[in-house]
Amino acid sequence: MSRILDGNRIRDQIKSECLPRVERLVARTGRPPGLAVVLVGDNPASEVYVRSKTKTAAELGMMGETITLPASTEEDELLAVIEALNQRREIDGILIQLPLPHHVDAQRVLLSVAPDKDVDGFHPYNAGLLSTGREGPRPCTPAGIIQMLKRYEITIEGKNAVVVGRSDIVGKPMAFLLLQENATVTICHSRTHDLASICRTADILVAAVGRPALLTEDHIKPGAVVIDVGINRVESRVEAERIFDAKRLADFDRRGSLLVGDVHPGDVARLSSAYTPVPGGVGPLTIAMLMRNTIECAERRTGIE
Ligand code: NDP
């Protein structure tokens, strides 16, 4: 029987550990840790994410501020907004909600965030700290996955880990974090030859691709731990028939679409020793880790151990 790794449970643990740290910061500095979220344009999905980030911050007694700018905002105007946030003492963390409008150079914008307020851990300075094993803010999703593995007492040291996907946001930092935990790490991507046989060497398989149920029984070594980062919406009936069992297909027919990860849900449940479901696996961890990163940035900025 495969074990389901419950992201909601780990999220709640991480959030409840944040509360005393917020209280300690308030006691020491007279103010709560402050998170500023910058949202440019009116992407409905981004609006939902931003709302849930500031709501979670408020739940934990933190200060959450959203700066909403129109889609027509020029790059220089956005850079000026970020510079003002860099200077504000009561802001400990700055998050630029992606994607940004096409006329804005996202790399330049992310570079403009002060590294000590970069709660997403996307700044090249912080990527450098990660790759050299030094302390600093880590990208939330992969850092949450490490928390999940540790809290479920899954051994990482000495294991073969395969990460499918090499984005700066998930795949690469995931690989570095696993390496730091002494796994033997392989990174795969769209040009990898014979993906299935490489994946089958994995004791820990992390899928961060963005392709519905790309990884199937051919990719999973029996007994592997499988972490599915992907969030994909399936809208085609033919695709749904390949992926879902009869019960889920009935749900699909009722709703017209369903979410699925990058790993085939039936195959992973049958073959793995433990796996993250989609939804309810990796997804809930990201916001909890964002809160933790903001608190840690505040602690570093105020010299609290
Ligand atoms: P990107 O699109 O930035 O990266 C996808 C990676 O997958 C690339 O490295 C790409 O390779 C690789 N890839 C694409 N097709 C294949 C293939 N057929 N075989 C092997 N590798 C392939 O995506 P992200 O890293 O940003 O996100 C990945 C997924 O995770 C998405 O579904 C996203 O929605 C989800 N996500 C979930 C989060 C959560 O909180 N649960 C947070 C962040 C992301 P190449 O580099 O060669 O193009």
Side-chain angles (χ1 to χ4, degrees):
M1 214 12 208
S2 184
R3 193 154 52 132
I4 294 177
L5 305 174
D6 180 353
N8 291 315
R9 198 184 120 205
I10 305 301
R11 172 200 59 200
D12 291 345
Q13 281 179 10
I14 295 170
K15 277 171 62 180
S16 65
E17 291 161 9
C18 286
L19 286 165
R21 291 172 78 175
V22 171
E23 282 168 16
R24 188 170 60 156
L25 275 160
V26 173
R28 288 271 189 97
T29 64
R31 64 167 184 85
L35 171 66
V37 183
V38 181
L39 174 64
V40 188
D42 41 23
N43 178 330
S46 293
E47 284 169 10
V48 172
Y49 292 139
V50 167
R51 261 200 305 279
S52 65
K53 286 168 187 171
T54 47
K55 184 170 155 263
T56 309
E59 267 171 37
L60 296 176
M62 297 163 58
M63 197 270 279
E65 182 176 314
T66 308
I67 292 107
T68 308
L69 301 169
S72 58
T73 304
E74 293 297 336
E75 192 172 299
D76 285 346
E77 287 174 69
L78 178 55
L79 292 175
V81 168
I82 296 167
E83 186 46 33
L85 293 170
N86 285 341
Q87 300 300 334
R88 275 175 59 191
R89 231 190 89 248
E90 75 283 15
I91 298 294
D92 299 291
I94 303 170
L95 180 147
I96 314 298
Q97 185 64 45
L98 300 176
L100 289 169
H102 292 302
H103 67 276
V104 172
D105 177 353
Q107 290 300 333
R108 192 166 165 226
V109 170
L110 294 179
L111 258 180
S112 74
V113 174
D116 66 338
K117 295 189 178 186
D118 168 38
V119 278
D120 261 335
F122 293 165
H123 194 289
Y125 179 84
N126 290 322
L129 293 182
L130 168 59
S131 73
T132 53
R134 293 177 167 88
E135 205 195 314
R138 307 300 197 214
C140 299
T141 303
I145 291 168
I146 296 290
Q147 286 297 317
M148 168 95 102
L149 293 171
K150 288 188 169 173
R151 287 165 196 250
Y152 273 99
E153 297 180 356
I154 290 167
T155 306
I156 304 175
E157 180 162 327
K159 300 292 179 186
N160 289 335
V162 173
V163 180
V164 189
R166 57 172 164 181
S167 71
D168 293 340
I169 293 170
V170 189
K172 275 186 215 149
M174 184 77 254
F176 276 116
L177 286 168
L178 287 163
L179 186 62
Q180 218 164 59
E181 297 295 332
N182 298 317
T184 303
V185 183
T186 306
I187 307 176
C188 300
H189 47 77
S190 66
R191 315 289 168 87
T192 297
H193 288 278
D194 199 359
L195 181 67
S197 67
I198 297 173
C199 289
R200 281 200 309 273
T201 65
D203 304 308
I204 300 173
L205 177 61
V206 182
V209 184
R211 301 273 182 279
L214 174 77
L215 306 188
T216 63
E217 59 186 357
D218 297 339
H219 302 78
I220 304 168
K221 176 164 93 171
V225 173
V226 181
I227 305 294
D228 193 350
V229 186
I231 307 173
N232 311 289
R233 185 161 292 283
V234 175
E235 289 173 333
S236 127
R237 183 74 170 53
V238 175
E239 181 89 309
E241 282 169 22
R242 176 181 78 84
I243 298 173
F244 301 117
D245 61 15
K247 182 173 166 293
R248 297 283 287 152
L249 257 185
D251 290 342
F252 175 88
D253 288 335
R254 232 175 327 106
R255 297 189 206 162
S257 70
L258 277 184
L259 286 184
V260 72
D262 292 338
V263 186
H264 190 286
D267 292 353
V268 75
R270 186 163 47 83
L271 288 169
S272 67
S273 60
Y275 71 100
T276 58
V278 177
V282 172
L285 303 173
T286 303
I287 291 186
M289 291 307 290
L290 174 66
M291 300 303 131
R292 195 168 125 147
N293 276 357
T294 305
I295 292 167
E296 285 177 0
C297 283
E299 288 171 345
R300 274 189 217 107
R301 292 181 68 238
T302 47
I304 296 176
E305 285 293 309

